[in-house]
Amino acid sequence: MRGFRIGSVFGIEIRIDYSWFVIFVLILWTLTRNVFPTAHPGEASGTYLVMGLAGTLLFFASLLAHELAHSLVARARGIPVHSITLFIFGGVARTTAEFESPGDEFRIAAAGPLSSLLIAALFWLVAWAGAALALPVAVTGVASYLALINFVLAVFNLFPGFPLDGGRLFRALVWHRTGDVSRATRIATNGGKVFGYMLMVLGFLNMFSGNGLGGVWLVFIGWFVRMAAESSYAQHVLRRSLEGVRARDVMSPDPRTIEPGATLQRFLQDHVLAGRHHSYPVSAHGRALGLMTLDRVRAVPKEEWGTRSVHEAMIPISSGITVAPHASVADAMLKLNESPVGRILVTEGDRLLGIISQADVARWLERQRIREEVSSG
Ligand SMILES: [Zn+2]
């Protein structure tokens, strides 16, 4: 996901993916033009816009609180959470560790829907008190919408399909009963796929009965849930096979480097054109300084390639493109996904030990497969 940081809460980075703007506009539009005018007719159009804005922002704040609840319980169980990202289909909290026990997973998964129910109850109270105090419809209308949407969110998330919260609860129960996490994940994943198809069918039925936009949206969500179920399962399998593997095990050691003082022209000639890669670590006397890539050369006007140095144009290591040799491969892969060039450096202190690309991880997995084949054959 590509997006930007909006701040941090309890030390957890909050990010917004660019796809989020689509859903923001869609919800704002639906609330302002449809939901609030239908539920509370007779108000000025400016009132609906204010209600729509407040409703949309508070809806996303509720989503964030739901993800924060997961994250805080995870952290209390010793599982670090790096960031929460809001994107087109909701929120997602990033952790690198797989849950160690079914008990942990159960608690972490339950925290989300519980927080949504709590938020729903709070807004319901506001709506109820607002009505009793004869507050304007802008207040009570928004509050009762948020009570409803958070309740729906909790119920939706409780469906026993992985990777929804309900699917995680279900997986934790099967895992607890059978002691077999892979089997539990497989069963819960099938639940997720079934749920995805159900939503898609529901979406098509909606489309044909005249609710075009709502129907298309349901089909999209169903498709996403099905995809997410499959990819979460693949990720689980991958993580299982990478358990205990460290960054140093998969890296390409002692990579060819370029010195910081070299010109961009020389980098192109001696490294990109004469070598096999588009990017090379920048180092001086064994100290890692950054990563130089073809794209960074392209960003500089051609006339300056002969005079500008690699040091000026490189991606510095301070931009989070390094990983320690003893870091888990799961950690390394997370960094790899976030790296702007699809490569990260393995450093100890500031000493350069190696480089990791997706290809290195794939090669390691392939070697592992062969190793198992040979030892079982
Ligand atoms: Zn959740």
Side-chain angles (χ1 to χ4, degrees), residues 21 26 44 63 71 84 92 134 140 175 195 201 246 270 346 371:
F21 287 102
L26 201 64
L63 268 184
S71 306
I84 294 174
V92 59
T140 54
W175 182 5
F195 187 49
V201 169
R246 306 284 157 200
D270 298 355
V346 181
R371 231 172 266 141

Side-chain angles (χ1 to χ4, degrees), residues 213-231:
L213 186 62
V216 170
W217 192 240
L218 271 177
V219 171
F220 263 132
I221 293 180
W223 172 79
F224 171 74
V225 167
R226 193 190 64 83
M227 292 278 290
E230 268 169 18
S231 73

Side-chain angles (χ1 to χ4, degrees), residues 5-288:
R5 179 179 189 278
I6 53 167
S8 81
V9 185
F10 301 117
I12 297 168
E13 196 181 86
I14 311 293
R15 301 181 61 85
I16 286 192
D17 180 67
Y18 294 123
S19 68
W20 174 80
F21 287 102
V22 176
I23 189 67
F24 180 85
V25 170
L26 201 64
I27 290 183
L28 179 61
W29 174 267
T30 314
L31 289 185
T32 306
R33 297 302 297 261
N34 197 325
V35 173
F36 290 137
T38 310
H40 313 284
E43 301 291 324
S45 61
T47 308
Y48 293 131
L49 183 61
V50 171
M51 289 173 79
L53 266 173
T56 309
L57 289 173
L58 286 169
F59 167 65
F60 286 110
S62 308
L63 268 184
L64 213 53
H66 173 115
E67 293 305 325
L68 263 178
H70 285 306
S71 306
L72 292 179
V73 176
R75 201 153 73 176
R77 311 299 299 179
I79 295 162
V81 177
H82 304 275
S83 64
I84 294 174
T85 305
L86 288 179
F87 72 120
I88 191 165
F89 293 118
V92 59
R94 289 223 158 181
T95 60
T96 46
E98 277 267 274
F99 307 124
E100 313 254 304
S101 74
D104 280 356
E105 169 149 55
F106 194 90
R107 288 185 186 88
I108 295 165
L114 275 179
S115 72
S116 291
L117 285 177
L118 199 73
I119 295 167
L122 279 175
F123 278 117
W124 182 81
L125 254 169
V126 172
W128 177 79
L133 296 169
L135 291 183
V137 85
V139 176
T140 54
V142 170
S144 45
Y145 164 75
L146 286 159
L148 176 72
I149 199 74
N150 275 292
F151 181 74
V152 170
L153 200 66
V155 172
F156 176 88
N157 266 301
L158 280 172
F159 191 91
F162 195 65
L164 296 175
D165 295 333
R168 293 187 183 279
L169 293 172
F170 181 45
R171 174 169 90 149
L173 288 176
V174 179
W175 182 5
H176 178 70
R177 281 195 70 102
T178 63
D180 183 346
V181 63
S182 288
R183 189 169 152 220
T185 308
R186 212 159 43 235
I187 296 171
T189 299
N190 286 334
K193 285 195 214 163
V194 168
F195 187 49
Y197 283 120
M198 274 168 52
L199 289 175
M200 286 167 85
V201 169
L202 203 67
F204 281 119
L205 289 177
N206 260 280
M207 275 158 74
F208 291 122
S209 62
N211 179 10
L213 186 62
V216 170
W217 192 240
L218 271 177
V219 171
F220 263 132
I221 293 180
W223 172 79
F224 171 74
V225 167
R226 193 190 64 83
M227 292 278 290
E230 268 169 18
S231 73
S232 302
Y233 183 67
Q235 216 171 54
H236 166 79
V237 172
L238 184 66
R239 275 185 178 173
R240 293 284 286 181
S241 62
L242 288 175
E243 228 158 59
V245 184
R246 306 284 157 200
R248 76 167 92 78
D249 301 323
V250 299
M251 72 181 185
S252 294
D254 306 317
R256 205 177 150 209
T257 61
I258 173 121
E259 60 270 34
T263 61
L264 301 184
Q265 189 65 48
R266 253 202 53 216
F267 171 71
L268 274 178
Q269 219 95 68
D270 298 355
H271 284 71
V272 177
L273 294 174
R276 299 172 52 206
H277 303 291
H278 284 178
S279 50
Y280 288 88
V282 183
S283 89
H285 315 294
R287 270 184 63 213

Side-chain angles (χ1 to χ4, degrees), residues 297-314:
V297 178
R298 287 200 182 112
V300 174
K302 207 168 181 172
E303 314 83 70
E304 299 173 23
W305 288 359
T307 50
R308 295 279 282 269
S309 73
V310 161
H311 191 262
E312 293 170 75
M314 71 182 185

